[in-house]
Each structure stands twice: as C-alpha cells, then as structure tokens.
Amino acid sequence: MTDPHSRRAGLPPVARATPASLRPLTALAGVMLLAACAAVPHDQPKLKVADAPSMGLAGPEAATIAPDWWTALDDPQLNRIMGDALAGSPTLEQAMARIDLAQSAIRYTRAGLLPHVSAQGSFTEERFSNRSIYPAPLGGSWNSMNNLEADLSWSLDLAGKQKALIGIAKTFARGSALDVAAARVALSGAVTQAYVNLARAEALTQLSVDFVAARQKQLDLTQARVNSKLASELDMAAARTLLAEAQQAQTRAEGQRLMAVHALAALAGRGADYYATIQPATLRFDSALPVPDALPIDMLVRRADIASALAHVEMAQGGVKYSRASFYPDVNLQAFIGTSALGLAHLLTPEAMTGGGGPAIHLPIFEGGALRANYRASVTGVDISIAQYNEAVVKAVKEAADALSTVTTNKADLEEQGRVVAGLEQTQRLDQVRLRSGLGTRFDTLSSAQRLLTARQAQTGLAADGLSARVQLVVAMGGGFTPIPDTPAPKANP
C-alpha cells in the first residue's frame, strides 16, 4: 500500500508499516537482544561494605541528639553566633548550591525519556547546473529551494540506560543533601569548640589577673624584706621573674581570646565588624550534653558523612547498570513531516507535503573492547567507592572512640585535680591561721596562694577540655543528624 500524496507529488512511494512487515524487524530485535545478553560481562565488585557488627558496634542504640543540641549549653550569645553561622556560612551556601545542581541534573536526565520534537526550515536561493540532473528550464537558472520540517524522536529506553542515569542523578541529589547535613554538623561543632575556647581564654585571663596581683604582692613583700636586710637582691630578682611570668600568662590568655573571637567571626561568615559584637561568654564548663557511655550499634546511620559516602557507592553501582545497558540495543521511534518545494508558491500546498517514520534500532557489534573496558572500569569504580566508604567508617569509629575515651579520662583527671585544688585551699587556710597566730610569715601565705592559682588554672583547662571532648563526641555521633527516609542502612554486601 502506498501513499497517494507521494504519487501526486512525484516522489517515491512511502511504505506503510503493517503487522506482517514488522515481524522481521521484531525477530531481528529479539536476535540482537539475545546476542547482547551473551556479550555482557559478569564482573562483580571484590570489596564489601563495612557494617556495624564488623566495626565492633554492638551496644544499645544511642539516645536521639537534638538538631540544636548546643542550646543545652544555655548561652544566648552562643545561640546567636550559631544562628549567624548556619545562615551565612560560605561552606553551607556551596553545599546547598550543589543541591540545586543535582535537581537540574534530575530534570535533564528525565527529559531523555520524553518525546523530543523539533522544527527546522531552510530557504536557499540556488543556481541549478545545466549539466546535472535538472533539465531545462531548471538547469542553468536560479531558483529558491525551500524546506519546512518537524521531527519527532522518542527513545523507548528498553535497555534502561536512561533510567540508570536518572537513578544516578537522584542519588547524587540525595548525596548533596547529605553533604549539606554533614557540613551543618561540622560547622555547629566548630562554632561550639571555638566558643569553648573563648570561655577558656576568658577564665584563664581572670585567673591570670589574680595571679599577677598575687605575684605583685610577693614582689612588694620581698622589697620590704630587702629594705629590712632580711632578703637579698637575688630574692628580689626571683620575685620580679615570677611577676613577669604571671604577666606573660595574662598576655597569652588575652591573645587566645582574640584568636577565639576571630575564629567565631570567620565561622559566622563575617569580618572584623563582628568582633565587637562578641561579649564575655556565660558558658559553664560543667554543662551537660547528650553523650553515650559506649559506641552504639546505630552510630553509622546517624552520621551524615557516612550516609553520603554510601550514596557514592550507590552512584557507582548505577554506573555499572548504565555500562551494562550499553551492551543492549537502543530502540528509538522517529518520524518527520514537512513540505519541500522549488519556490515559495508551492511550499504550503498538499502536493509539497513529505513525511515518514518508523523504529530505529542500534546495537554495537564491534567496539574494539571499549564497552567491556568501560564496564570493568565501572565495576572497579564500585570497589573504589566501597574502599572510600570503609575508610570513612573506620575514621568515624576512631573519632567516636577517641572522643569517648577522652571524656572518660578527662572526668577522672578533673576529679583528681579537684582534690589537688581542695588540698591547696586547705593549705592556704592553714597558712593564714599560722600568720594570724604568729607562727607563719606572709611569704608562706603568698607562696601557697600562687600554688593554688596554678592548680586552678590547670583545673579550668581540664574543665574546658572536658566540654570540648563532649562536643567532639556529639559531633562524632552525628551531631543531631536524622537519617532521611530514603537513606538505607549500610549493608554487608551491595
């Protein structure tokens, strides 16, 4: 059966597809599909994804950590700085931009499953040769060759290649969201640590001021003893040295505070104008934070960076699906309709109509081993992603274990230092009693006060270290990250 319009236009007849005419094409497609199935390699990843039992995580599940866990420290200024940091951090802005990029990638890859329609036209003034196929009067004359055409193409994606790309794009989007969550956790931990350093520096500065005052009294007493011929210039030089050391400690503590202020402003994404807004901290080093007593079995799914690393494994597995689909035939539906005529007068007439359509099948037969090499590279990419995931898991477990050990050690160390401070306080009280009863000297009282101030400095440092360790443990346990519903738990074998 032929097209009557084709006969009227003087064009070759266009054959219409019938069920009988499609049977050879269907059979050919089946043979090509079977041939492709036989040619697909069967390489498998060599590595396995590390899971909680293999990492020794067998304790009870950890208590839920609130997303705004730092508010438990009860410092309004910390909450304000944290809000500024989470709203204006360049790191978070960059991570969120990757989410927009990932959503664009999803929309782009989905478009590959939809029909594509395009239109084109050409209007060309052309001189036809009188020594070619065109007889006179066309040969040797100038005429316009005009074409209008609309094209339709639709990939059926029977092999699933485009669907594999969509899956990769979706996983990339989920990984980007996990990267934002991981950046938020890391940023909140960094801000809190910097704020703890600020509070530490301010506490040490105050102790240093008291230390300088005590050393100044000791220097005055030594000067009085020298004037009374009860001490030598050597004692005076020693007293001056002790005072200089105390002043140096005060200078260093004040410098540490400035460094902490600068760090907080940088984390908030602000400049030097932000320094003046940071006032003395009201943070208590003994503030409680939700920290576990042992590494819980669900620790891995609580960390956004671990979930992101697992998403990269899934992306690599999607690459294997895409590479496998390359061995199968591509089936596309194609069609076009338009007009073609010499001169504009007949361009839009029924006789100028032209069109056609049908399926197109492509199957790679000989690619020089490129498809196999690409497939094996994809499988190797899965192994690389698994190795990177396992490395991230080992690092995460070490971070949590180190923080947990530090918390435990610091607690015992701080208790011992408390006993040291209590003993020196008792010694100072006894020295004051001895002084009032005439059995001791002012020098003995000042010496015990200096030892007490030194012990209190160490106690303050240990208390700040303990809070820093608890913050580190909260971050190592996920920092308030809640696994999103479509984030699967790590499996032993992908």
Side-chain angles (χ1 to χ4, degrees):
M1 184 180 294
T2 58
D3 188 347
H5 293 294
S6 299
R7 290 198 302 270
R8 288 199 301 268
L11 297 175
V14 178
R16 289 185 177 178
T18 64
S21 63
L22 289 177
R23 288 172 188 167
L25 185 61
T26 304
L28 177 61
V31 172
M32 297 168 69
L33 186 61
L34 291 175
C37 292
V40 176
H42 299 285
D43 302 61
Q44 296 294 328
K46 300 176 182 178
L47 301 180
K48 294 183 178 180
V49 173
D51 56 3
S54 66
M55 290 290 104
L57 304 178
E61 293 188 358
T64 301
I65 300 175
D68 55 349
W69 53 267
W70 55 85
T71 58
L73 300 177
D74 196 24
D75 190 314
Q77 180 172 243
L78 172 60
N79 298 338
R80 174 182 64 82
I81 296 174
M82 188 70 72
D84 294 341
L86 295 178
S89 170
T91 303
L92 279 181
E93 292 174 354
Q94 181 181 3
M96 294 179 68
R98 292 182 61 187
I99 294 181
D100 296 336
L101 178 63
Q103 294 297 333
S104 299
I106 292 177
R107 291 190 290 268
Y108 178 81
T109 51
R110 278 179 175 168
L113 293 178
L114 301 177
H116 289 191
V117 179
S118 62
Q120 56 189 353
S122 63
F123 304 90
T124 306
E125 191 71 20
E126 181 179 353
R127 182 186 184 280
F128 296 105
S129 170
N130 56 6
R131 291 291 187 266
S132 185
I133 61 175
Y134 298 103
L138 293 178
S141 65
W142 285 85
N143 284 279
S144 59
M145 177 65 73
N146 307 297
N147 294 280
L148 291 175
E149 184 176 294
D151 298 317
L152 168 69
S153 63
W154 188 6
S155 173
L156 300 183
D157 195 36
L158 298 180
K161 184 184 296 186
Q162 199 66 25
K163 293 183 181 68
L165 288 178
I166 294 175
I168 293 174
K170 287 182 176 180
T171 307
F172 176 70
R174 180 156 50 85
S176 299
L178 291 169
D179 289 339
V180 172
R184 185 181 185 277
V185 170
L187 180 60
S188 62
V191 171
T192 307
Q193 293 283 21
Y195 200 79
V196 172
N197 290 336
L198 173 69
R200 180 208 306 264
E202 289 175 347
L204 291 177
T205 298
Q206 184 57 49
L207 286 174
S208 298
V209 170
D210 298 337
F211 214 177
V212 169
R215 291 282 174 90
Q216 184 63 54
K217 289 181 179 179
Q218 184 179 13
L219 178 61
D220 296 340
L221 177 60
T222 303
Q223 182 64 58
R225 291 169 58 85
V226 169
N227 295 338
S228 302
K229 308 300 183 180
L230 298 176
S232 65
E233 286 297 329
L234 182 61
D235 297 325
M236 194 67 182
R240 291 194 186 99
T241 301
L242 292 175
L243 175 60
E245 290 176 349
Q247 292 171 337
Q248 183 183 45
Q250 180 180 351
T251 301
R252 289 177 178 176
E254 293 171 349
Q256 290 174 1
R257 184 191 185 280
L258 291 177
M259 293 296 102
V261 168
H262 300 167
L264 287 169
L267 290 170
R270 302 288 294 273
D273 59 330
Y274 199 74
Y275 301 162
T277 67
I278 300 178
Q279 302 299 317
T282 60
L283 186 68
R284 290 176 54 89
F285 294 139
D286 58 352
S287 300
L289 283 176
V291 295
D293 297 328
L295 298 184
I297 193 171
D298 62 339
M299 191 194 82
L300 299 183
V301 298
R302 290 176 175 270
R303 288 189 51 138
D305 56 341
I306 298 299
S308 177
L310 184 61
H312 283 82
V313 174
E314 295 175 8
M315 288 176 59
Q317 292 171 343
V320 173
K321 293 179 182 179
Y322 179 84
S323 299
R324 182 185 292 114
S326 300
F327 286 87
Y328 296 95
D330 289 330
V331 180
N332 298 322
L333 297 181
Q334 299 178 345
F336 73 94
I337 186 172
T339 62
S340 178
L342 291 175
L344 293 175
H346 302 288
L347 182 61
L348 300 180
T349 61
E351 291 76 7
M353 295 292 294
T354 180
I361 301 178
H362 169 75
L363 175 67
I365 297 177
F366 180 74
E367 299 287 340
L371 293 181
R372 288 180 175 272
N374 187 55
Y375 180 84
R376 292 192 175 100
S378 300
V379 174
T380 303
V382 175
D383 279 328
I384 293 175
S385 298
I386 292 176
Q388 292 173 342
Y389 172 82
N390 292 344
E391 181 182 7
V393 167
V394 171
K395 180 181 178 182
V397 173
K398 180 182 181 299
E399 289 177 352
D402 287 349
L404 188 59
S405 299
T406 302
V407 169
T408 304
T409 303
N410 176 267
K411 183 178 180 181
D413 197 0
L414 190 58
E415 290 176 354
E416 294 172 356
Q417 186 64 27
R419 288 191 288 269
V420 172
V421 171
L424 289 175
E425 288 174 346
Q426 180 66 18
T427 300
Q428 186 183 37
R429 285 194 294 269
L430 292 176
D431 285 339
Q432 290 174 348
V433 172
R434 287 164 53 87
L435 178 63
R436 288 193 296 270
S437 62
L439 299 177
T441 64
R442 176 72 66 179
F443 188 82
D444 295 333
T445 303
L446 291 176
S447 296
S448 62
Q450 291 165 9
R451 293 196 302 272
L452 178 59
L453 284 172
T454 302
R456 284 176 175 169
Q457 283 181 323
Q459 186 181 37
T460 299
L462 286 173
D465 290 340
L467 182 55
S468 294
R470 295 195 296 277
V471 170
Q472 181 183 355
L473 183 55
V474 168
V475 173
M477 295 303 302
F481 165 72
T482 301
I484 54 181
D486 58 346
T487 301
K491 299 179 181 178
N493 190 341

